[in-house]
Amino acid sequence: MHILLGNNEYFPGIGKIRYEGPETDNPLAFRFYDENRVVAGKTMREYFRFAAAYWHTLGSTGADPFGAPTKALPWLQAADPLQQARDKMDAAFEFITKLGLPFFCFHDFDLVAEADTPTESERRLHAIGEYARAKMADSGVRVLWGTANLFSHPRYMNGAATNPDFAVVARAGAQVKTALDLTIALGGENYVFWGGREGYLSLLNTDMKREQDHLARFLHIAKDYARAQGFTGTFFIEPKPMEPSKHQYDFDAATTIGFLREYGLTHDFKLNIEVNHATLAQHSFPHELQVAADAGMLGSMDANRGDYQNGWDTDQFPNNALELTEAMLVLLESGGLQGGGINFDAKIRRNSTDPDDLFHAHIGGMDAFARALLAAVAVLEKSPYRQIRRERYASFDSGDGHRFESGQLDLNDLHRIAGESGEPPLRSGKQELLENIVQRYL
Ligand code: XLS
Ligand code: NI
Ligand code: NI
């Protein structure tokens, strides 16, 4: 089929964004992100695998619970839904290629508006999928992950896979089947489940055990279907403690890992860790990464940052050099992301209304990660960081400590050893020294 690609320019006056180095005065250039620079054995492009988030980047109009949209996005003006979807995709690919992002991520109904009937929705998705394939072939841009929006439509107000009404569960399943088909058709490398409505508002009307059983059943059959279609990518669960539900079942990394283990899903599922979801769960971002990495389930990242003064998912662009450097330390020491990449699940502020604001936001985010990676590599290569941590545990490397680790001591042995050894001397944790080491290489 021959597909005519649109040729509107949505970001006139902005060309390809290039690396110009830390000293440049050009705000539309990278200072640290040099896609061809090899760090930790890979080019930065391959290391980060940055992705644009279709929903925020192409869809955020600045509307909030208190006010109307502030941005009349030029690609959302056509009345015909498919024309609007093609315009939006033209803008997406212009933006993505000017920025040099290798990937994008999408929900089904980010690509085209949902219709009144499932049949018409599927027809629209199929049509825009064909258009996407042509744009992807033309540009070399790929899909990092696809997903289904199982949270916006009123039918999901009581949950999607965990809805108490089977009719809604079936409807969610139909939607996931179509989203999986689309992701596979576009060569998507992974598929995400974020369960914004998979949780509850009040325990008084909720059978939590039954809902979690349903969620696991749903994930199993979705995975089985995708595998039968030849999908070899990874499924990611994206933990978040709350918002929009009061209690979300995938609260944080530890809870989600427990769930995946309980229901036999660890072979196919890993985690997509989002910065602002970590902080909503009262954890730090590096903590969540470490929990996932220690379970062998660190799959992907949604990059953004929260606001330190409030508790919402504000989805601001990442710019916290210290937070990201600590994150990169976890990533480097744990062997990196398994299958995923770094998706900018972030939106510009309601009052950022110029077309170039989207560029500044992403350039800043990419530079912040690049800078953090360079700092973390320097910490590992040039400082005693690793050695200090290793030495803290040296008492387990030999002797009784080693015997304890390998399961050769019982509680009576500990009682005897403690009796022979006297009061252990205090050993400093060297926290401030380690903080200074990280600061030094920022
Ligand atoms: C919302 C989530 C969402 C997922 C994809 O808080 O971050 O954007 O990443 O459904
Ligand atoms: Ni996210
Ligand atoms: Ni989020």
Side-chain angles (χ1 to χ4, degrees), residues 49-53 55 105 144-145 301-304 341-345:
R49 292 157 57 85
F50 283 127
W55 51 105
C105 299
L144 184 66
W145 49 261
M301 278 188 200
D302 268 10
N304 55 28
I342 298 179
N343 168 47
F344 285 109
D345 195 353

Side-chain angles (χ1 to χ4, degrees), residues 14-183:
I14 300 179
K16 176 99 174 82
I17 307 299
R18 299 185 192 285
Y19 172 73
E20 294 184 8
E23 301 308 321
T24 186
D25 288 323
N26 179 4
L28 288 170
F30 296 116
R31 293 189 159 69
F32 299 96
Y33 179 69
D34 178 359
E35 61 176 7
N36 297 316
R37 177 166 174 188
V38 176
V39 184
K42 285 183 182 166
T43 63
M44 282 190 172
R45 184 181 172 86
E46 289 164 16
Y47 193 84
F48 292 122
R49 292 157 57 85
F50 283 127
Y54 216 91
W55 51 105
H56 285 316
T57 297
L58 284 307
S60 287
T61 58
D64 72 11
F66 301 92
T70 54
K71 290 165 257 218
L73 300 173
W75 50 85
L76 299 185
Q77 301 310 312
D80 173 59
L82 264 171
Q83 186 55 48
Q84 186 185 115
R86 282 189 293 265
D87 292 346
K88 190 178 186 185
M89 192 162 280
D90 289 344
F93 277 76
E94 182 189 337
F95 179 77
I96 290 167
T97 54
K98 282 184 170 173
L99 206 56
L101 294 167
F103 292 101
F104 68 102
C105 299
F106 66 88
H107 302 84
D108 44 3
F109 298 125
D110 297 333
L111 299 187
V112 63
E114 182 170 8
D116 291 336
T117 65
T119 315
E120 173 59 10
S121 292
E122 285 176 30
R123 195 191 65 79
R124 286 185 189 176
L125 284 169
H126 186 74
I128 195 66
E130 289 300 309
Y131 195 68
R133 265 153 64 108
K135 302 283 292 189
M136 290 169 68
D138 192 48
S139 61
V141 173
R142 293 178 287 154
V143 169
L144 184 66
W145 49 261
T147 186
N149 180 330
L150 300 176
F151 45 89
S152 293
H153 195 283
R155 82 173 73 89
Y156 298 126
M157 67 179 188
N158 290 311
T162 61
N163 199 290
D165 180 352
F166 172 68
V168 178
V169 176
R171 193 64 184 268
Q175 206 184 316
V176 167
K177 177 192 177 297
T178 305
L180 279 166
D181 288 341
L182 180 61
T183 303

Side-chain angles (χ1 to χ4, degrees), residues 387-403:
Q387 185 195 342
I388 291 171
R389 207 167 48 182
R390 205 171 38 239
E391 283 173 0
R392 241 185 132 207
Y393 297 88
S395 62
F396 293 94
D397 291 342
S398 60
D400 286 333
H402 180 68
R403 279 191 280 282

Side-chain angles (χ1 to χ4, degrees), residues 46 70 127 148 206 213 267 286 301 346 362 366 403 419:
E46 289 164 16
T70 54
T206 302
D213 286 350
H267 187 261
M301 278 188 200
H362 286 78
M366 293 160 81
R403 279 191 280 282

Side-chain angles (χ1 to χ4, degrees), residues 307-325:
D307 183 295
Y308 297 109
Q309 278 78 44
N310 68 31
W312 310 318
D313 195 18
T314 57
D315 287 345
Q316 289 162 257
F317 272 82
N319 70 357
N320 185 330
L322 187 57
E323 179 176 66
L324 295 179
T325 302

Side-chain angles (χ1 to χ4, degrees), residues 238 274 277 302 345:
E238 185 178 320
E274 178 163 323
H277 298 182
D302 268 10
D345 195 353

Side-chain angles (χ1 to χ4, degrees), residues 242-258:
M242 64 197 81
E243 198 202 357
S245 296
K246 161 69 180 158
H247 302 270
Q248 277 167 218
Y249 293 138
D250 302 325
F251 188 96
D252 62 359
T255 309
T256 306
I257 290 164

